[in-house]
Amino acid sequence: MISKELVAASTKPLVLALLAEGESYGYALIQRIKELSAEEIHWTEGMLYPFLHWMEEEGLIESEWKEAESGRRRKYYRLSRAGKTALRTEKQQWCTVHHALIKLWKTAPRLT
Amino acid sequence: MENRPPFDLNAALRRWRDALQNRQALRPEDVAELESHARDAIADLRRKGLTEEEALLVALRRLGPAERLQTEFGKVDPCALWLPRLLWMAFGVAAYLVAMDLTSVAACAVALAGSQVPLGGFTLGWLGLGARVLTVAVVVGAACAFLKFRGERADLWLSRCVQHPVAAIAVFTAAVVSFRLLATGFMPLVVRELTPAAVGQFFVVNAWGAMATFVAAPVVMIAFLLTLLSSRRAELGTGTAALLAVLVLASATGCGPKESANMTASETKQTGQTPLEQTLASWKAGKPDEAADAFLKLDFTRSPLFTKGAVLNYSEPEFVALPAAARDKMAKQVIADLATLKALGRRVADLGKEARSKGDVARADRCAQQLRQCGDALNRPSSLLMVQQVGKAFTKLAAEPAAPGTNP
């Protein structure tokens, strides 16, 4: 399981990246991240929805109530222009961290 | 178990949604989104072979209890939690002010009606206080009834307010201002209808009544909120009863002792005028000699000069605190009364001079002494400035006949 702090830090880039695949709604986002992380990352509804609302207020995403094929209404979210810019920045930063860690851990002396 | 009615998923979801809607951090839109999520989860679980009821239980369990959803939603958007609270506070303050103005309107309306009977100032004041207490009871009762029968409406109504906070605050302010205008507008009407003496008496009791209501009303409101919290609307019937008991107690302890003391003192005086007032009355009735004789027999050191509640008994701050309309009217009365008193004083001084010229030193000294004592009684720091002036004039008058009397 991923630590709480890391889940909190990674939610923004993950949501931005998930929505970059196309518009989606809360339930589908939770299912998709479970599937992608082999159930390692588990978002709770109580965390995700307020987070989505915060992102919407920040102008990173937009929402719209739409009728799904089943006839039920769902609130769909999609990336805004600012969201796409934010996704690029996030990507850069996470890649920087990722590369540094890879380099460190590959060359670091091992205890065993 | 076999006769159980079939499980109604929509009804179960509606109950869950209603419970969520009472949470302040959750906007109706949030609740709708969570419901849509729950329905998705239920559909998924059903595909895995769960019954509708099982699927519902699991899905709602995963969503977590309403308290946790509320805190989670409140964390990300503190405004969502604080705006409704702030609005409730603003609404509470507005309700308090409106209720207080309503009590003033009720007191004035009763006084206005009573003045047509006509009733005395003290009676009107007490009736006004009764009207105040009744108004508070009616307002609180109406609030109870509203929350009992329209509890869900109140929440919906609040969520609408949250969506338009500026409009909501504007409406609250408009309500407060209009009721304040209504309350202040009533005062001059009452003052116009009452006699000057009754105005003074009415405002003495009215001021106490207003103070008691201002103190008791918050107590009642807090008690109201506490009963509301503990019963969560379930047993508002008993809550209302408890509240009314608290209301009666609060108004009894808040104003009872002070006012009853006030009343016994004033009520006994109200039946008879003070000796000085009787003397002034007989002067006004056109019996100057009788009045002057009576004046010489008065004991100014023991009995009070004027009836409690009479304008002449007011202190300067008390007089200034009266509503402007009442003050104007009573100033005229004060001036008229003081004119009578001055005329009487001059007459007594003349009598003193006359006695001295006739060689009746005892009578002359009696005149001077009475004038001096009356002047001292009038010229107290607690008296109205105008009354103090008359007191000084009396002291001067008392010195006058003594000078020619002792010198030649």
Side-chain angles (χ1 to χ4, degrees):
Chain A
M1 275 297 265
I2 308 273
S3 78
K4 242 175 143 182
E5 290 76 15
L6 194 53
V7 168
S10 59
T11 307
K12 187 178 166 191
L14 283 172
V15 169
L16 288 173
L18 284 171
L19 290 180
E21 290 183 337
E23 64 172 14
S24 185
Y25 52 96
Y27 184 76
L29 287 174
I30 291 176
Q31 297 304 316
R32 180 100 177 93
I33 200 69
K34 243 194 234 171
E35 178 192 317
L36 282 171
S37 69
E39 308 233 344
E40 281 294 309
I41 301 176
H42 182 75
W43 285 342
T44 64
E45 295 80 357
M47 181 277 287
L48 182 66
Y49 285 109
F51 192 81
L52 287 171
H53 300 162
W54 170 78
M55 284 178 80
E56 193 181 356
E57 258 169 50
E58 294 288 304
L60 298 172
I61 56 175
E62 290 156 357
S63 72
E64 194 187 351
W65 280 94
K66 273 194 202 170
E67 208 144 300
E69 63 281 6
S70 60
R72 265 210 344 265
R73 280 158 56 77
R74 285 200 190 105
K75 201 178 178 184
Y76 281 83
Y77 296 90
R78 63 168 169 273
L79 278 192
S80 69
R81 192 185 290 260
K84 283 174 189 152
T85 320
L87 178 60
R88 271 198 298 277
T89 320
E90 289 282 342
K91 207 168 171 179
Q92 232 168 22
Q93 291 178 358
W94 279 86
C95 281
T96 310
V97 176
H98 178 73
H99 286 310
L101 286 174
I102 296 285
K103 272 183 207 161
L104 277 170
W105 286 334
K106 265 189 182 163
T107 54
R110 300 175 71 102
L111 288 173
T112 51
Chain B
M1 283 299 272
E2 272 149 39
N3 290 337
R4 241 175 76 169
F7 176 70
D8 185 350
L9 179 68
N10 285 326
L13 275 174
R14 205 181 311 124
R15 277 197 300 276
W16 171 74
R17 201 176 54 210
D18 287 347
L20 277 187
Q21 232 134 28
N22 287 337
R23 300 284 160 177
Q24 286 176 353
L26 298 175
R27 297 168 297 173
E29 200 191 337
D30 299 338
V31 176
E33 196 176 18
L34 286 170
E35 187 193 348
S36 144
H37 178 103
R39 284 185 186 274
D40 278 328
I42 290 167
D44 252 4
L45 290 164
R46 292 274 286 144
R47 272 194 291 276
K48 284 176 189 159
L50 268 66
T51 68
E52 240 179 10
E53 195 170 2
E54 287 164 345
L56 175 88
L57 286 174
V58 174
L60 295 192
R61 179 75 197 247
R62 281 188 191 158
L63 273 166
E67 287 84 20
R68 215 181 60 210
L69 284 174
Q70 149 140 313
T71 38
E72 293 283 350
F73 274 74
K75 254 190 236 164
V76 172
D77 185 10
C79 267
L81 207 56
W82 276 102
L83 195 60
R85 284 182 191 169
L86 212 66
L87 275 176
W88 269 122
M89 276 184 230
F91 176 67
V93 171
Y96 173 69
L97 291 175
V98 166
M100 287 303 98
D101 282 337
L102 266 180
T103 62
S104 286
V105 170
C108 286
V110 165
L112 203 61
S115 66
Q116 307 298 321
V117 174
L119 295 170
F122 283 112
T123 320
L124 288 179
W126 280 100
L127 284 176
L129 179 65
R132 275 175 197 277
V133 173
L134 205 66
T135 312
V136 173
V138 166
V139 166
V140 172
C144 282
F146 177 74
L147 286 175
K148 188 176 178 187
F149 299 113
R150 293 282 171 93
E152 319 81 53
R153 289 280 176 87
D155 279 318
L156 268 181
W157 175 75
L158 178 76
S159 60
R160 237 173 270 145
C161 283
V162 175
Q163 279 156 17
H164 313 280
V166 180
I169 297 280
V171 170
F172 292 166
T173 315
V176 170
V177 169
S178 50
F179 275 94
R180 180 45 50 94
L181 285 176
L182 190 64
T184 43
F186 243 106
M187 284 283 175
L189 281 179
V190 174
V191 170
R192 208 171 55 194
E193 289 300 317
L194 294 178
T195 62
V199 166
Q201 293 165 346
F202 172 70
F203 276 108
V204 167
V205 182
N206 189 53
W208 282 109
M211 199 192 76
T213 328
F214 271 58
V215 173
V219 175
V220 172
M221 288 201 180
I222 289 168
F224 173 54
L225 286 179
L226 286 179
T227 37
L228 199 67
L229 272 181
S230 60
S231 66
R232 265 317 266 180
R233 297 195 194 114
E235 298 148 26
L236 260 181
T238 45
T240 320
L243 203 62
L244 284 176
V246 171
L247 174 86
V248 172
L249 265 178
S251 50
T253 51
C255 58
K258 284 176 241 144
E259 299 223 12
S260 58
N262 198 5
M263 186 189 72
T264 45
S266 46
E267 215 84 318
T268 47
K269 294 282 155 47
Q270 198 188 11
T271 48
Q273 295 170 308
T274 64
L276 180 62
E277 279 170 341
Q278 285 167 356
T279 314
L280 286 175
S282 65
W283 175 276
K284 274 188 228 163
K287 293 176 244 173
D289 293 323
E290 221 170 89
D293 280 342
F295 185 87
L296 290 178
K297 284 176 200 137
L298 291 180
D299 184 355
F300 294 105
T301 52
R302 272 197 18 227
S303 61
L305 291 182
F306 307 107
T307 324
K308 201 156 191 174
V311 200
L312 289 173
N313 235 358
Y314 276 43
S315 73
E316 198 67 23
E318 275 173 342
F319 189 70
V320 172
L322 286 175
R327 210 163 50 215
D328 288 349
K329 185 161 187 172
M330 286 162 69
K332 281 185 198 135
Q333 173 76 14
V334 170
I335 291 167
D337 283 351
L338 288 179
T340 316
L341 190 58
K342 274 196 273 188
L344 176 63
R346 231 172 275 127
R347 171 82 183 175
V348 172
D350 287 346
L351 280 178
K353 275 183 204 163
E354 201 182 305
R356 203 168 293 281
S357 63
K358 280 182 192 159
D360 189 350
V361 183
R363 189 171 159 83
D365 284 347
R366 177 78 185 155
C367 288
Q369 185 201 348
Q370 286 296 88
L371 278 172
R372 201 177 320 111
Q373 277 180 1
C374 184
D376 288 346
L378 290 170
N379 189 15
R380 281 195 191 125
S382 60
S383 302
L384 282 172
L385 288 177
M386 281 189 284
V387 176
Q388 289 184 28
Q389 290 299 327
V390 176
K392 283 177 195 153
F394 270 39
T395 319
K396 226 183 266 173
L397 275 176
E400 249 175 31
T406 43
N407 281 347

